[in-house]
Amino acid sequence: MKRKLVGLAAVATASALVLAGCASGGGTAPSTDGKGKTVTLWLVGADTPDALRTYLKDEFKKETGATLNIQQQDWGDIVTKLTTSLPDANNTPDVTEIGNTQSPTFTNVGAFLDISDMYKDLGGDDLLQSFVAAGEVDGKKYTLPYYFGSRYAFYRKDVWSAAGVSVPTTLDQFNTDVATITSKNPKGIADFSGFYLGGQDWRNGISWVFANGGDIAKKKDGKWVATLDSEGSLKGLQQLQDLYKNASKAPNDAKDSNQYIYLNDSDQTVDANGNKTADTSLAAATIMAPGWAHWSIGDASTKDGKVVRTWNDDTFGTFVLPGNDGKPAPVFAGGSNIGISAKTKNPGLSKTLLKIIFSKDYQEMLGKNGLGPANSNYTSSLGDDQFAKALIESASNSKLTPAAPGWASVEAGNVMEEFFSKIKDSTDLKSLAQEYNTKLDALMNVKSGK
């Protein structure tokens, strides 16, 4: 589950997404009359295991008599495919998974069916609310959370111990500890990072802004306004600058991608498909990553010609990034939403499929496979190991990007990556923040196609 946290890779021909009138079928009840019919579900990436896909097909057939056709899409081109397919009643998927940060762009142009009438039945306020907000427009619900994967810290126990520091209980202590590890560099490794944080890794770095009461943007008088220069945001940016200068040796153009490899000792690594990649060596004492990164951290061995990792509790550990208020620091949550196409020809059957997906049985199946269930009542299905505990605790204070209609353009233009890449060397963080406030303001409130 080396799932990349999804933002919008590109803004396709979004004018095609501006759908006329109200989303059809909004008042349609779930249907069990599907004999001879086929409903198409798009799942993105390989994170939903085969056993869960089989369960959905079998349960849907049993419940409705209809066939469920599950088609896997790729994260790399899902935006383009949804842009061209959702407005076309003859080619749209009936139900589709969508990245949580992608949801606002599509919901704001009417691409999904209003499922507000099902909200309580599907979990209501027990659903992960930051994801619910990402699929909401003017109080109406269009997409709901499918699963989550929050971020927390992975660290080398041996390196922390050798540097004489312990697991922090406050964010200030974390900042001090990782700088101490970098300065002491107990293993004597060139360019060693106490905390590996890429210069463009805003999805991890934004936690310092959130933890100090700052934010990317706030909604004011019906309009999204960037707030990178607020008092809290600037305090977080100052802490980030200190981390970049004193704790991280990561390149200035490094993003949130595979940073877990730098915790591992030197050996040949492989990608998710078993293909050999470049040699890497221990280069960091601490990283931030989604929970599923633990599958890629550990002692290496070879099985069937592939390098596999076995977690070793004596060497590696986890902890939730602490705030300074006794709570976990707010982290950017990864994961997906799911919704029904406004152009579906099978609204009733599609709603029945959602009922199955949000059922207790399926939610618990997600948890047992390491994916955070949308419904908080079923998070115990994740188990009680350190990874489950860290995932649940970090998610309790998670946040998402602004649910702005133009956020697609922000991500497509790499605005946040560009902003973060300038933090380390900035001599005037307030002016830098105001410069990028202007860039964000110009994009966030513009609906695609308008």
Side-chain angles (χ1 to χ4, degrees):
M1 291 181 289
K2 300 176 183 176
R3 165 93 185 276
K4 181 179 180 181
L5 297 188
V6 178
L8 292 182
V11 177
T13 312
S15 58
L17 277 170
V18 183
L19 307 178
C22 299
S24 61
T28 305
S31 173
T32 57
D33 183 16
K35 187 176 181 180
K37 295 183 179 180
T38 297
V39 168
T40 298
L41 167 65
W42 279 11
L43 294 177
V44 193
D47 299 295
T48 302
D50 289 341
L52 274 68
R53 300 178 189 221
T54 299
Y55 176 86
L56 289 178
K57 291 177 181 179
D58 291 347
E59 286 298 307
F60 190 67
K61 188 76 167 180
K62 186 189 304 181
E63 181 77 15
T64 68
T67 297
L68 179 61
N69 176 24
I70 298 179
Q71 298 178 3
Q72 182 168 313
Q73 307 298 325
D74 295 324
W75 286 111
D77 61 0
I78 187 59
V79 174
T80 301
K81 285 194 172 183
L82 288 173
T83 300
T84 56
S85 298
L86 284 175
D88 184 351
N90 293 319
N91 291 294
T92 185
D94 296 286
V95 180
T96 184
E97 179 182 0
I98 185 171
N100 52 29
T101 65
Q102 298 168 349
S103 190
T105 292
F106 288 90
T107 54
N108 271 280
V109 294
F112 288 105
L113 196 70
D114 179 359
I115 52 175
S116 301
D117 59 333
M118 297 187 71
Y119 178 62
K120 288 185 179 179
D121 290 339
L122 297 180
D125 292 343
D126 289 326
L127 299 176
L128 187 60
Q129 288 302 297
S130 58
F131 284 48
V132 171
E136 186 177 58
V137 179
D138 297 329
K140 295 182 178 180
K141 312 295 192 290
Y142 294 93
T143 69
L144 296 176
Y146 179 42
Y147 69 83
F148 71 87
S150 289
R151 298 158 182 264
Y152 51 88
F154 295 83
Y155 75 109
R156 292 281 302 230
K157 290 181 177 179
D158 54 344
V159 178
W160 277 62
S161 177
V165 295
S166 57
V167 172
T169 58
T170 67
L171 188 62
D172 288 343
Q173 184 184 347
F174 175 91
N175 296 342
T176 299
D177 286 349
V178 292
T180 296
I181 295 170
T182 304
S183 65
K184 289 188 175 182
N185 189 5
K187 285 187 175 285
I189 298 171
D191 295 325
F192 188 78
S193 297
F195 175 43
Y196 187 97
L197 183 66
Q200 295 188 29
D201 184 4
W202 69 271
R203 289 179 176 85
N204 281 310
I206 199 66
S207 288
W208 276 259
V209 171
F210 293 157
N212 284 285
D215 215 328
I216 299 172
K218 295 285 188 181
K219 201 168 187 179
K220 183 178 181 181
D221 299 328
K223 182 179 179 181
W224 285 95
V225 179
T227 56
L228 294 175
D229 65 339
S230 70
E231 181 179 354
S233 295
L234 288 173
K235 184 176 180 181
L237 293 176
Q238 181 63 62
Q239 290 180 350
L240 281 169
Q241 187 176 65
D242 289 342
L243 286 171
Y244 281 130
K245 288 183 175 181
N246 301 311
S248 179
K249 304 294 185 180
N252 206 39
D253 60 353
K255 299 181 181 180
D256 174 22
S257 178
N258 298 347
Q259 59 266 32
Y260 48 78
I261 64 177
Y262 299 113
L263 289 183
N264 294 319
D265 290 305
S266 180
D267 52 57
Q268 187 71 44
T269 60
V270 295
D271 64 18
N273 297 315
N275 300 313
K276 290 184 177 181
T277 60
D279 285 325
T280 59
S281 59
L282 175 61
T286 321
I287 64 163
M288 285 279 289
W292 45 73
H294 81 267
W295 299 107
S296 302
I297 298 170
D299 299 331
S301 60
T302 303
K303 182 178 181 181
D304 298 328
K306 299 178 182 179
V307 175
V308 295
R309 297 273 173 194
T310 303
W311 182 274
N312 182 341
D313 281 331
D314 291 332
T315 305
F316 304 97
T318 63
F319 60 85
V320 174
L321 186 70
N324 283 323
D325 56 0
K327 299 178 181 179
V331 294
F332 182 81
S336 301
N337 277 25
I338 196 161
I340 300 171
S341 170
K343 291 296 186 178
T344 178
K345 295 180 179 180
N346 301 295
L349 291 172
S350 297
K351 288 187 173 184
T352 299
L353 177 57
L354 286 192
K355 287 182 66 177
I356 295 171
I357 289 171
F358 287 90
S359 69
K360 179 178 184 291
D361 286 348
Y362 190 77
Q363 289 289 299
E364 290 184 341
M365 289 177 73
L366 286 169
K368 290 174 182 177
N369 283 273
L371 301 171
N375 192 315
S376 61
N377 290 318
Y378 308 124
T379 53
S380 61
S381 62
L382 286 161
D384 59 1
D385 61 20
Q386 64 178 309
F387 310 113
K389 290 177 180 178
L391 178 65
I392 294 169
E393 186 180 355
S394 60
S396 69
N397 205 18
S398 64
K399 295 188 69 170
L400 290 179
T401 53
W407 189 255
S409 297
V410 174
E411 293 208 13
N414 292 316
V415 176
M416 293 299 290
E417 286 86 351
E418 184 180 286
F419 170 58
F420 265 65
S421 73
K422 296 180 179 181
I423 292 173
K424 179 180 179 179
D425 299 320
S426 174
T427 57
D428 188 341
L429 286 172
K430 185 172 184 178
S431 294
L432 179 67
Q434 291 172 339
E435 175 188 348
Y436 279 84
N437 276 350
T438 300
K439 293 187 177 186
L440 290 172
D441 288 342
L443 297 171
M444 285 190 298
N445 297 288
V446 180
K447 290 185 179 182
S448 297
K450 295 296 184 179

